[in-house]
Amino acid sequence: MDTRVADLARRLGETGYLCDDDLATVLFLSLQMGRPLLLEGEPGTGKTALAEAVSVALERPLIRLQCYEGIDATQALYDWDFPRQILHLRALEALSGGDRGDLAEAEKSLYDERFLLARPVLAALQQSPVVLLIDEVDRADDEFEAFLLEVLSTFQVTIPELGTIQASTPPTVVLTSNRTRELHDALKRRCLYHWIDHPGLDREVAVVRSRAPEVSEALARQVVGVVQQLRAGNDLLKPPGVAETLDWARALHHLGTVELDVETAARTLGALVKYRDDAERVRAALDRMLDR
C-alpha cells in the first residue's frame, strides 16, 4: 500500500475510525483529485462516521446537509432573514421621515450580505476548506440531485441580489446513500465511488475496542460474534450496524457484564435491535448463538 494512503489510514485510526485498504485508497484519491466521494452501503456501516473522521483527521470544520424527501435548493443554499429585514426597514423609515428617495435606497439595502442566512452548501463554499457531508442523498428527489450536480461541478452559486459566490478552495465532499433508490449516472460520474460492507469479525472487534476501550476484548468478541450471526441469518427487518454493536457493548459494560449470557443479552436487546419482531427473533435464537 502507498505510504501516503497508509498515513491517511493511520490518521483516521487515531480518530477511532478503522478503515480497510480499499476505502483508504479511494478516500486518498478523492482528496488528491478534488473529487466528491460517494459512499453507499447498508445503514450502520460507517458512511457518515467516515466524513466525521475525515473532518477531525484533516482538522477542517464539518458542515452537514441532511437530505430528506422534498428538500430543495433553498434549504441547501440560503434564505433571507425576513424579521431582521423588516426591523431594518422600519428603522430606516423612522429616520428618513418617509422620504421616497431614501426609502428606495433602503429597499436595496435589504439584500445586504448581513441579512443572508447561509445554509450548508453555501456555508461550505464561503468557509472552505471544510468537509461537506451530504447525508442520505438518496432521500432527495431528481431535481435536487440535478442542483447538486451543478454545484459540485463548479463549486459556485449565484445569488441574484449579491452575485456569484465561489469557493476559494473546493470543499472536501462526502455523499452518502443507503440506496433506497438508484442515483442518476450523471451524479455518480462526478464522484469517486465506494461500497462499504459491514466489517468482518476481527475488524469489528477492533472497532469496538477502539471506540469503546472500556469494553474488554473477551466481551467485545462475544458481542461481535452474536451480531455477525444475526447479519448472516438474513431474517431481520433491520440487521444491526456497527453503531448498534457499539451501543450494545457499552450497555453490557454499564451493567458490569464480564461474560455474555442469555438473560443479560435478552434484557439489553433494546440497544441492538429496534423492531419488536426482530427482538423476538433474536431472543428466540440467543441460546443457540451463545452456545457456539
Side-chain angles (χ1 to χ4, degrees), residues 78-217:
Y78 69 93
D79 208 342
W80 293 103
D81 191 339
F82 295 118
R84 286 190 63 202
Q85 286 176 314
I86 291 171
L87 289 173
H88 175 71
L89 186 58
R90 286 177 177 171
L92 291 177
E93 284 177 343
L95 290 172
S96 67
D99 184 275
R100 289 179 177 267
D102 288 343
L103 288 178
E105 288 299 315
E107 289 177 5
K108 292 181 183 178
S109 72
L110 288 177
Y111 294 98
D112 187 85
E113 195 165 346
R114 60 184 159 156
F115 299 118
L116 187 69
L117 298 175
R119 304 307 186 196
V121 171
L122 179 60
L125 299 181
Q126 291 176 320
Q127 300 172 28
S128 205
V130 301
V131 176
L132 173 60
L133 168 62
I134 302 174
D135 215 7
E136 298 184 320
V137 66
D138 53 315
R139 292 181 178 271
D141 58 23
D142 293 350
E143 290 183 2
F144 188 75
E145 205 174 311
F147 153 74
L148 284 179
L149 180 63
E150 180 180 355
V151 172
L152 296 180
S153 297
T154 62
F155 291 113
Q156 68 178 33
V157 297
T158 298
I159 299 174
E161 299 85 354
L162 296 177
T164 299
I165 296 176
Q166 183 169 20
S168 55
T169 302
T172 298
V173 181
V174 177
L175 302 96
T176 74
S177 167
N178 293 327
R179 210 175 182 184
T180 57
R181 69 172 178 87
E182 282 291 339
L183 302 178
H184 288 279
D185 288 342
L187 182 62
K188 286 187 173 182
R189 280 196 300 270
R190 183 71 188 85
C191 307
L192 299 186
Y193 175 86
H194 189 76
W195 175 272
I196 298 186
D197 280 315
H198 288 292
L201 189 143
D202 289 337
R203 182 174 294 278
E204 192 162 8
V205 170
V207 170
V208 173
R209 296 286 291 137
S210 173
R211 301 292 292 272
E214 68 276 14
V215 177
S216 70
E217 181 164 357

Side-chain angles (χ1 to χ4, degrees), residues 4-21 23-28 31 37 49-59 210-211:
R4 295 169 298 174
V5 176
D7 180 63
L8 178 60
R10 177 189 59 77
R11 291 165 67 186
L12 291 174
E14 289 173 353
T15 73
Y17 192 97
L18 305 182
C19 63
D20 58 26
D21 295 348
L23 179 54
T25 299
V26 74
L27 174 60
F28 172 78
L31 295 171
L37 177 59
L50 176 63
E52 296 167 348
V54 170
S55 169
V56 175
L58 299 182
E59 297 181 342
S210 173
R211 301 292 292 272

Side-chain angles (χ1 to χ4, degrees), residues 233-252:
N234 206 28
D235 58 351
L236 297 184
L237 294 171
K238 170 64 173 66
V242 177
E244 285 75 30
T245 304
L246 287 165
D247 282 346
W248 197 30
R250 289 177 178 132
L252 291 164

